[in-house]
Amino acid sequence: MSRVLVLGAGVLGASVAQQLAAAGADVTVIEAGGPAAGTSSATFSIDVTHLKTPYAYYELNRHSAELHLELGAELGGADWRHPVPLVQWGHTEAEQRVIRERAERLRGWGHPCGTAHPSDLAELAPGVDPEACRADELVLHEHASWYDAPLFTRRLLDRAALDGADIRYGLRVTDVLRSGERVVGVLAAGRRFEADWVVNCAGPDAGRIAALAGGALPLNRVPGLVGESTRLPRGEQLGAILATPGVDLRPAPDGRVVSISWPVDAQLPADGPQDAALNAPEQPEQPQPDPALEQELHRLGRAVFAPLRAAEMAGVRLGVRPVPADGLPLVGCAAATPGLYTLVTHSGVTLAPILGRLAAQEMVEARPAPELAAY
């Protein structure tokens, strides 16, 4: 039986732990905070398959999006997955050209993607202010979904625990243990944890873990602001994902609305180099978002979706996105750190089902997965 340490209880760590435990591995999950305490609780979390290139990466995302349904059958229902249409538009000629070209590429790949007239917004997404859309054409993805990432993470961790995984919270990794050249465990809260494999699913902290092991990851830490409104009255709730030039909006549990804005995120201070946190305190403080940016995020959302004008911003999370330098996932073992299996991607919620399954296969069965060869 393989002994595996999974570092991180976000959506990727939860997925690989669940798959490993189901395959009979002896799994221990080590997490500095709580379940989905990091980026998995500060994410827009929609199915991003339509954004992915090249084709092989698009296919990986498409397959993983389908596996959410298969996982749902195993876990008693995919209650974290919410199918809704995604409506997108641009304002400038350049924005509209990019959207049109992406739609044409997707149709060529067999992806269901259509167009609509802005007058159809009243039916597609009631409540959108007509003045907020100056486009001549909308792009419509009728088979999109948004995900409740914290709920998804808890479902996976609960099943992993039922299958025997030992899940430890409040333990921050301070060192990586080696035997010769191979990584064989970690030191966390003064305790040694040893295993045949150590899986680095630490998200934005993954670079620090790799550095402790003597390696390096081509990984950027990109801060992002995620807002959530108070509950909207029944009948005024958002029923679609909106991708607009200034702000993106999606439904959230209990009739709330989640918002992100790339123009707002561009005003956030850089997060700093990956190895800056090597000697950070045991319990680093959660960064607080700038109130002015919080207000700007809510203003942009209200300008697009009129019911938000009667709501307040219930909370804002400042998350740190782990973004590999080439935009593609980082999966597997580096030559410099045998025994340390890395699993990091910006599209963690969409890709969690397939990356968890294939990573578990590679470790338990010692059988390389061709689908991961490019990453």
Side-chain angles (χ1 to χ4, degrees):
M1 178 187 296
S2 297
R3 297 176 304 156
V4 186
L5 289 176
V6 178
L7 309 184
V11 68
L12 282 180
S15 181
V16 72
Q18 183 265 325
Q19 291 288 331
L20 285 164
D26 181 356
V27 180
T28 300
V29 178
I30 296 177
E31 163 62 45
T39 304
S40 294
S41 66
T43 172
F44 196 61
S45 58
I46 66 169
D47 179 353
V48 291
T49 301
H50 64 286
L51 297 175
K52 300 306 180 182
T53 58
Y55 179 72
Y57 188 38
Y58 162 83
E59 273 291 294
L60 188 75
N61 279 266
R62 185 194 59 77
H63 187 193
S64 193
E66 294 173 351
L67 287 180
H68 275 271
L69 292 173
E70 188 173 317
L71 264 177
E74 296 174 15
L75 303 182
D79 55 353
W80 62 84
R81 177 182 177 272
H82 300 268
V84 293
L86 185 152
V87 184
Q88 184 178 34
W89 68 83
H91 286 160
T92 68
E93 183 178 339
E95 289 169 348
Q96 293 184 59
R97 182 174 65 253
V98 168
I99 294 169
R100 281 196 305 270
E101 290 174 352
R102 181 186 296 134
E104 291 170 4
R105 179 180 69 242
L106 288 167
R107 284 191 286 268
W109 290 347
H111 185 93
C113 176
T115 59
H117 190 270
S119 61
D120 296 325
L121 273 173
E123 180 179 349
L124 294 170
V128 171
D129 188 334
E131 297 297 320
C133 179
R134 304 191 301 272
D136 298 326
E137 184 180 69
L138 309 173
V139 170
L140 177 63
H141 302 271
E142 295 190 50
H143 302 288
S145 299
W146 64 270
Y147 303 113
D148 185 337
L151 177 61
F152 181 35
T153 303
R154 291 195 299 271
R155 292 282 184 267
L156 292 167
L157 291 171
D158 287 348
R159 177 52 62 90
L162 282 174
D163 288 338
D166 182 12
I167 303 173
R168 309 287 187 95
Y169 298 120
L171 298 178
R172 184 174 186 268
V173 172
T174 55
D175 205 357
V176 171
L177 308 176
R178 301 184 78 137
S179 177
E181 295 299 313
R182 188 173 179 86
V183 171
V184 295
V186 300
L187 190 68
R191 296 186 55 189
R192 293 174 64 93
F193 294 86
E194 298 184 0
D196 303 305
W197 289 97
V198 176
V199 189
N200 183 3
C201 295
D205 203 32
R208 184 182 71 86
I209 300 297
L212 287 171
L217 293 178
L219 184 67
N220 299 313
R221 294 162 53 100
V222 180
L225 212 58
V226 180
E228 189 169 282
S229 76
T230 54
R231 184 175 186 175
L232 299 176
R234 189 175 299 275
E236 296 185 8
Q237 296 171 0
L238 181 61
I241 301 165
L242 304 177
T244 83
V247 65
D248 289 0
L249 304 172
R250 71 154 171 86
D254 299 323
R256 292 167 284 142
V257 174
V258 167
S259 55
I260 60 169
S261 168
W262 299 111
V264 168
D265 287 352
Q267 301 177 60
L268 294 170
D271 187 68
Q274 264 288 308
D275 59 357
L278 278 175
N279 299 307
E282 193 74 17
Q283 295 280 338
E285 291 186 9
Q286 179 70 27
Q288 297 301 310
D290 182 340
L293 294 181
E294 177 180 337
Q295 293 169 13
E296 175 64 5
L297 180 59
H298 198 34
R299 185 193 70 78
L300 290 168
R302 285 171 158 173
V304 172
F305 189 58
L308 281 177
R309 296 166 193 172
E312 300 297 330
M313 189 70 87
V316 174
R317 286 292 306 271
L318 180 57
V320 180
R321 306 178 184 106
V323 182
D326 63 358
L328 301 176
L330 298 171
V331 184
C333 284
T337 54
L340 181 67
Y341 192 105
T342 294
L343 203 60
V344 184
T345 180
H346 177 37
S347 303
V349 181
T350 299
L351 286 173
I354 198 164
L355 292 184
R357 174 179 292 190
L358 295 177
Q361 170 191 306
E362 291 198 326
M363 285 179 278
V364 173
E365 302 178 16
R367 178 164 56 94
E371 300 95 326
L372 298 178
Y375 313 111

